[in-house]
């Protein structure tokens, strides 16, 4: 489907991030946009979770809600042991420093009037850094993201390339010594030649700084390569949670299979949905289909799918699928 449930949450008590029943809705004229509907996530230390889905399925809304920017309509977000929902502003700023977000468009994420050294230092007041210590700290961070401090520290964003701007954004996040990094389509606005460099940098950064990462994208190949586990979203709901290793052959949900058929290297035989996918317009998040939200495009849909929302079920170890009609 596109269904709900928490069966995929692991019992580990050492979680970097726990999200339960996240709902994000936007009141608009004519109704309510159901951007994220009952999403649950757990992230272990040093793990990367990919979130994959088509444009408009709620990936960025979910990422921003984790950051409490703005807070979700309902649901719980726990960073380590700290429940973020409902914290007072000062406590929220301190707790949130441990979770940083890298945006899709690095140029607009940076204040055009500020110099690189000030952009990287933006959050540092919390730690009370000043003087030479701070200058050295910033130079070290710039070096660690592959920028030469002597060249870039006094430049403003318009004097940098898109890839350099994204490196500055990564340095700025690292300045806060985060535990969790949320990357929202961090390479999709970059030149293809620079995408691989920034992806490699994120991977190296995750290892060097012991980060846990949520990596949001609509590009299956990118998400698969960088993630340990992948969560597939459709219209605000979860379809499947699957280990990335071999997912092109193991995917079970018809929507995951549909996404995989768009990857040239995926095995077509295993990946093709078992029937023609209905070519219908994407349903509106203002009025999502009843039951399984994917049913209007699903080759396997039955009456049960309209009546009953499928819950995530474990089909194979570590692989959870919300669909009434697939078997392992
Ligand atoms: N502030 C808002 N007010 C009203 N609707 C919104 C708002 N922000 C997002 N939406 C709607 O919520 C849905 C999910 O949007 P979101 O940006 O989270 O999708 P996405 O998966 O990140 O898409 P993309 O891949 O294009 O970035 C969309 O239908 C979008 O139009
Ligand atoms: Mg988005």
């Amino acid at each position: 489907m596109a269904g709900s449930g928490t069966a995929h949450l692991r019992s580990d008590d050492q979680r970097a991030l726990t999200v339960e029943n996240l709902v994000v809705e936007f009141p608009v004229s004519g109704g309510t946009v159901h951007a994220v509907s009952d999403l649950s996530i757990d992230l272990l230390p040093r793990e990367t979770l990919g979130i994959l889905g088509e444009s408009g399925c709620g990936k960025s809304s979910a990422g921003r809600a984790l950051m409490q920017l703005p807070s979700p309509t309902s649901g719980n977000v726990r960073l380590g042991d700290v429940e973020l929902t409902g914290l007072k502003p000062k406590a929220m700023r301190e707790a949130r420093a441990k979770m940083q977000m890298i945006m899709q468009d690095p140029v607009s994420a940076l204040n055009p009037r500020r110099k690189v050294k000030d952009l990287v230092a933006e959050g540092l007041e919390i730690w009370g850094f000043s003087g030479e210590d701070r200058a050295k700290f910033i130079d070290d961070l710039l070096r660690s993201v592959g920028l030469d401090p002597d060249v870039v520290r006094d430049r403003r964003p318009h004097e940098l390339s898109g890839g350099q701007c994204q490196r500055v954004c990564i340095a700025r996040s690292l300045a806060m010594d985060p535990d969790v990094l949320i990357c929202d389509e961090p390479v999709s606005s970059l030149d293809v030649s620079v995408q691989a460099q920034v992806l490699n940098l994120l991977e190296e950064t995750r290892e060097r700084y012991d980060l846990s990462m949520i990596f949001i994208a609509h590009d299956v190949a990118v998400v698969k390569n960088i993630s340990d586990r992948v969560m597939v979203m459709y219209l605000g709901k979860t379809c499947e949670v699957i280990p990335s290793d071999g997912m092109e052959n193991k995917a079970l949900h018809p929507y995951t299979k549909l996404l995989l058929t768009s990857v040239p290297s995926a095995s077509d035989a295993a990946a093709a949905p078992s029937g023609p996918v209905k070519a219908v317009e994407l349903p509106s998040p203002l009025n999502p289909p009843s039951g399984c939200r994917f049913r209007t495009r699903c080759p396997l849909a039955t009456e049960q799918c309209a009546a009953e929302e499928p819950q995530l079920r474990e089909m194979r170890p570590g692989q959870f699928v919300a669909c009434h009609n697939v078997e392992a």
Side-chain angles (χ1 to χ4, degrees):
M1 122 49 161
S4 297
T6 53
H8 60 299
L9 298 186
R10 292 156 293 184
S11 55
D12 252 276
D13 38 48
Q14 277 240 313
R15 293 179 189 165
L17 182 71
T18 313
V19 180
E20 283 165 337
N21 311 113
L22 190 79
V23 175
V24 181
E25 293 175 348
F26 301 105
V28 291
S29 64
T32 300
V33 176
H34 301 272
V36 181
S37 306
D38 201 4
L39 183 76
S40 296
I41 292 173
D42 63 353
L43 189 63
L44 303 185
R46 290 175 292 285
E47 184 177 52
T48 299
L49 173 71
I51 299 186
L52 182 67
E54 286 165 298
S55 182
C57 73
K59 304 179 298 293
S60 297
S61 302
R64 287 194 297 265
L66 300 189
M67 296 290 295
Q68 312 288 309
L69 293 171
S71 296
T73 308
S74 64
N76 296 94
V77 179
R78 210 159 52 248
L79 184 58
D81 298 331
V82 181
E83 174 63 56
L84 296 186
T85 334
L87 280 185
K88 297 243 162 58
K90 182 168 180 289
M92 176 72 85
R93 270 198 305 280
E94 283 173 13
R96 201 169 44 200
K98 291 280 160 197
M99 180 157 62
Q100 294 289 309
M101 190 159 176
I102 310 268
M103 304 290 184
Q104 172 169 354
D105 180 0
V107 180
S108 63
L110 298 171
N111 182 336
R113 288 186 297 273
R114 306 200 78 182
K115 293 182 176 174
V116 165
K117 63 185 180 194
D118 300 319
L119 290 165
V120 173
E122 255 166 15
L124 285 177
E125 294 81 45
I126 291 185
W127 310 129
F129 256 123
S130 61
E132 272 181 33
D133 279 356
R134 177 162 131 160
K136 180 176 179 311
F137 181 71
I138 290 164
D139 281 0
D140 287 346
L141 275 174
L142 289 171
R143 257 181 236 110
S144 76
V145 297
L147 294 171
D148 180 344
D150 293 333
V151 175
V152 300
R153 75 163 82 78
D154 289 314
R155 288 198 191 172
R156 294 188 168 80
H158 72 273
E159 297 167 308
L160 301 174
S161 69
Q164 286 172 322
C165 283
Q166 196 58 297
R167 287 171 192 269
V168 171
C169 291
I170 295 169
R172 179 172 63 170
S173 304
L174 295 176
M176 305 307 291
D177 189 23
D179 296 328
V180 175
L181 195 59
I182 300 174
C183 302
D184 187 3
E185 311 243 14
V187 296
S188 53
S189 72
L190 302 179
D191 213 288
V192 176
S193 61
V194 184
Q195 288 188 357
Q197 293 170 16
V198 172
L199 286 172
N200 285 342
L201 171 65
L202 283 168
E203 185 76 63
E204 280 164 31
T205 303
R206 189 192 60 72
E207 278 177 29
R208 186 173 340 147
Y209 292 86
D210 272 351
L211 298 174
S212 308
M213 202 150 89
I214 292 188
F215 192 96
I216 296 171
H218 58 261
D219 182 326
V220 182
V222 168
V223 170
K224 180 180 141 32
N225 280 341
I226 205 157
S227 308
D228 300 303
R229 296 206 301 166
V230 176
M231 171 175 272
V232 180
M233 278 181 78
Y234 181 80
L235 218 58
K237 293 272 187 181
T238 311
C239 297
E240 181 157 10
V241 179
I242 180 169
S244 62
D245 195 20
M247 72 178 272
E248 61 275 29
N249 298 314
K250 292 182 185 151
L252 289 170
H253 195 285
Y255 179 60
T256 316
K257 291 183 173 188
L258 174 66
L259 291 177
L260 285 165
T261 53
S262 64
V263 184
S265 59
S267 154
D268 286 343
S274 44
V277 170
K278 297 171 190 169
V280 293
E281 240 176 74
L282 257 186
S284 164
L286 268 168
N287 187 18
S290 64
C292 171
R293 289 190 184 176
F294 185 58
R295 71 182 164 80
T296 56
R297 294 171 70 191
C298 182
L300 308 180
T302 60
E303 280 176 19
Q304 186 191 11
C305 306
E308 212 181 297
E309 177 176 278
Q311 300 290 304
L312 284 162
R313 293 179 288 150
E314 186 162 28
M315 308 296 287
R316 296 188 189 121
Q319 180 176 3
F320 298 81
V321 180
C323 177
H324 294 304
N325 298 317
V326 297
E327 296 304 329

